[in-house]
Amino acid sequence: MTEKKAGRSAGWNFDNSYARLPQTFFTEQPPTPARSPKLVILNEALAGSLGLNSDALKREDGVEALAGSQIPEGALPLAQAYAGHQFGYFTMLGDGRAVLLGEQVTPDGQRFDIQLKGAGRTPYSRRGDGRAALGPMLREYIISEAMHALGIPTTRSLAVVTTGENIIRETYLPGAVLTRVAASHIRVGTFQYAAKWGTKEELQALADYTLERHFAKPDEGENRYLFLLKEVIKRQAALIAKWQLVGFIHGVMNTDNMALSGETIDYGPCAFMDTFDPATVFSSIDEQGRYAYANQPYIAVWNLSRFAETLLPLLHDDQEQAVKAAEGALAGFAEQYTGEWLNGMRAKLGLFTEEEQDGSLVESLLKLMEKEKADYTNTFRALTLDKPQESAMFGTPEFTEWLGQWQARWDRQPQSKEESLQLMRQNNPAVIPRNHRVEAALDAAVTGDFSVLERLLDVLARPFAYTTDQEEYAALPAPSHYPYQTYCGT
Ligand code: AMP
Ligand code: MG
């Protein structure tokens, strides 16, 4: 009885369209109840936009729902099946520690997956315990919300609760559940799973479902699955360009971690680059640098090629024709990506108009940054603040020469200097989630002090504000903080 009332007062309004797909795509699986759930953080703004009542979510039964100890009315918990290429090797995966409660349909009719990450074992858990630790769940919360504030498509974080149980990693850690909100959790790996283990009808059902859930209708006469491929490519090109523009390194771009919605998903070993270096890798397990900063666009194409392969039976009855169509679509990535990236760079440099040499103007700045080991974010920040005396790079003759070219470029556009600086402010974040700041917030949080985390979240929610209270967050870490490493699956 209480369960139903709780569901209603919290505003849960579930539909379960994924559960209406063929059974092969999921296993019904309730979350494992947590021993003693406690709310650590609730994203009240996000809750509001989802039509949820924060006060009700904070009450005991509300928190129990976020911990998986109570199932809200209308939810139909399931674990999704998927496969994926992990570092290039194909494996059967699936939600090993996440349970999809269902899709929250918002008051304005939008649909979002509500997934509990760290909610216990599922049939896809393999050797894992199905659990997650507080630190990494808060890390996902911080970085995904920072990405959202930066204007980058991403899954969101609604809440983190502790379970009251310790989990075993290298040591005992407090267990936690993150409520992840996503346009959907359909991945390249979902299609790989369908192509490998499903029938053609099942693959087609998944493709039709994905089209309907995320994309407009194809033009009359156009092959709908080629349209799907092209749209997915377009969104990934735009997404990866946005990552590159802010210096975000995903760290584990396996095909199961690429969402067809075009949202950034799976915040494991990701981190923001500080010193500009195209070869930057943070993940401890990425020994070959497969997922290095500069490789991200190429890996995206590799992953999209795996996606295209799954669609071949739907593209054309003739295999050769199907391959030709897929290759044509994949060839479009490079131009779309470069276009998005260059336009983003133009905005970062205050350029409203387009000139043929803009690409080389950007490249020569980046080369100089690499040579002088300049901080990526702070270089653009200093240019935006019109204060290029702040870093060593700005004292070099090469920079003076570059500055002359840039100023001359500004002079060739009709906009005023003020307008250009304004454009730069809107496109160059004053603050990003600096690794040392994130670590400090997590260190304090696991000891029960959430004040550092709250302040950090507040600063990261307004990355383009350029307020004085944000200044300390732009500061670089002490040299002792390097080399910074991140870890997967924690
Ligand atoms: P990821 O590296 O986060 O993309 O995870 C790869 C796969 O491992 C996914 O199928 C996850 O569900 C699974 N996984 C990660 N951690 C655990 C865990 N602690 N227990 C069970 N499965 C896990
Ligand atoms: Mg994953």
Side-chain angles (χ1 to χ4, degrees):
M1 288 300 282
T2 29
E3 192 175 296
K4 292 197 170 167
K5 265 198 230 135
R8 245 182 254 126
S9 65
W12 291 118
N13 179 33
F14 282 111
D15 184 35
N16 303 280
S17 67
Y18 204 84
R20 294 193 286 274
L21 277 172
Q23 180 69 54
T24 174
F25 291 115
F26 61 91
T27 307
E28 285 187 27
Q29 173 69 52
T32 306
R35 185 185 298 156
S36 157
K38 220 174 128 222
L39 184 66
V40 169
I41 191 160
L42 175 69
N43 192 336
E44 298 198 22
L46 177 59
S49 71
L50 291 169
L52 297 171
N53 179 328
S54 289
D55 291 334
L57 286 175
K58 285 186 206 163
R59 285 201 287 270
E60 193 178 329
D61 48 3
V63 174
E64 284 185 348
L66 297 171
S69 299
Q70 225 188 81
I71 295 162
E73 188 185 339
L76 207 161
L78 59 87
Q80 292 178 323
Y82 52 86
H85 275 92
Q86 297 189 300
F87 291 89
Y89 296 98
F90 186 76
T91 327
M92 168 64 198
L93 297 162
D95 289 334
R97 59 164 169 176
V99 169
L100 178 70
L101 288 181
E103 300 128 31
Q104 170 75 1
V105 180
T106 67
D108 59 359
Q110 287 181 282
R111 177 182 297 264
F112 292 97
D113 272 12
I114 305 293
Q115 194 203 57
L116 303 181
K117 185 170 173 181
R121 287 181 58 84
T122 77
Y124 312 108
S125 295
R126 297 174 291 168
R127 285 182 302 279
D129 62 0
R131 288 301 189 185
L134 177 60
M137 293 307 97
L138 286 175
R139 194 168 187 279
E140 169 155 352
Y141 189 109
I142 297 169
I143 302 186
S144 63
E145 288 305 302
M147 291 286 274
H148 173 72
L150 286 164
I152 300 175
T154 177
T155 63
R156 305 281 310 270
S157 298
L158 177 64
V160 175
V161 295
T162 44
T163 59
E165 291 156 51
N166 279 332
I167 64 166
I168 308 168
R169 292 295 181 259
E170 269 148 29
T171 159
Y172 286 99
L173 296 171
V177 176
L178 171 89
T179 306
R180 180 156 72 182
V181 178
S184 86
H185 286 83
I186 304 167
R187 311 138 189 273
V188 169
T190 318
F191 277 78
Q192 290 182 288
Y193 173 86
K196 177 110 179 148
W197 288 292
T199 62
K200 186 177 168 187
E201 288 66 38
E202 286 167 340
L203 174 71
Q204 190 162 352
L206 179 66
D208 287 336
Y209 177 81
T210 307
L211 267 168
E212 181 147 343
R213 190 152 171 192
H214 294 301
F215 301 98
K217 284 205 167 25
D219 288 336
E220 195 92 15
E222 186 177 7
N223 178 304
R224 31 195 289 115
Y225 308 108
L226 184 59
F227 172 79
L228 171 65
L229 176 60
K230 285 182 182 164
E231 291 296 303
V232 169
I233 290 170
K234 217 189 280 172
R235 287 198 193 176
Q236 285 300 325
L239 179 67
I240 310 297
K242 287 196 161 78
W243 289 0
Q244 301 304 95
L245 289 166
V246 297
F248 174 77
I249 302 172
H250 184 283
V252 62
M253 288 178 71
N254 295 334
T255 56
D256 55 302
N257 294 335
M258 185 180 263
L260 297 198
S261 64
E263 289 181 342
T264 311
I265 190 171
D266 212 313
Y267 290 88
C270 64
F272 282 71
M273 174 170 64
D274 31 37
T275 306
F276 181 74
D277 178 359
T280 305
V281 172
F282 291 112
S283 172
S284 60
I285 60 166
D286 191 1
E287 284 159 15
Q288 311 291 319
R290 180 180 171 91
Y291 300 136
Y293 173 73
N295 273 359
Q296 297 190 124
Y298 300 98
I299 291 294
V301 175
W302 194 89
N303 290 349
L304 290 165
S305 304
R306 305 290 79 73
F307 176 56
E309 281 164 7
T310 71
L311 292 179
L312 290 178
L314 305 178
L315 294 182
H316 207 286
D317 289 336
D318 176 63
Q319 165 95 0
E320 224 168 277
Q321 296 282 331
V323 170
K324 224 169 120 193
E327 283 175 351
L330 288 163
F333 180 94
E335 196 182 321
Q336 284 157 17
Y337 167 77
T338 309
E340 295 276 351
W341 179 82
L342 189 52
N343 280 338
M345 277 294 179
R346 283 193 179 102
K348 284 172 85 69
L349 290 176
L351 302 179
F352 290 88
T353 57
E354 293 180 17
E355 282 189 12
E356 196 148 336
Q357 300 90 333
D358 289 343
S360 55
L361 184 72
V362 174
E363 288 298 346
S364 51
L365 176 65
L366 294 178
K367 279 241 155 60
L368 192 53
M369 284 165 64
E370 185 181 355
K371 182 172 164 226
E372 298 294 331
K373 301 192 177 4
D375 181 83
Y376 180 74
T377 305
N378 283 1
T379 298
F380 285 103
R381 183 178 180 273
L383 295 176
T384 303
L385 289 169
D386 210 7
K387 266 203 265 182
Q389 65 274 23
E390 271 184 8
S391 111
M393 180 186 102
F394 296 135
T396 62
E398 288 108 313
F399 179 74
T400 309
E401 195 193 321
W402 182 85
L403 195 63
Q405 290 170 14
W406 182 39
Q407 296 308 319
R409 176 66 180 81
W410 272 21
D411 292 342
R412 293 197 297 276
Q413 63 182 6
Q415 286 77 9
S416 66
K417 181 175 176 178
E418 283 62 41
E419 286 172 288
S420 292
L421 289 173
Q422 180 64 20
L423 180 65
M424 290 179 71
R425 262 171 191 258
Q426 291 159 353
N427 288 279
N428 294 310
V431 285
I432 50 158
R434 296 257 174 211
N435 302 318
H436 65 298
R437 287 289 187 172
V438 173
E439 294 299 321
L442 298 181
D443 287 348
V446 295
T447 67
D449 171 9
F450 297 106
S451 62
V452 187
L453 172 71
E454 277 160 19
R455 208 165 149 229
L456 178 64
L457 287 171
D458 183 49
V459 165
L460 294 175
R462 300 166 289 124
F464 304 106
Y466 281 84
T467 53
T468 45
D469 66 315
Q470 295 181 326
E471 272 169 22
E472 59 174 296
Y473 288 86
L476 301 182
S480 61
H481 201 74
Y482 299 102
Y484 181 70
Q485 276 208 323
T486 56
Y487 302 91
C488 260
T490 37

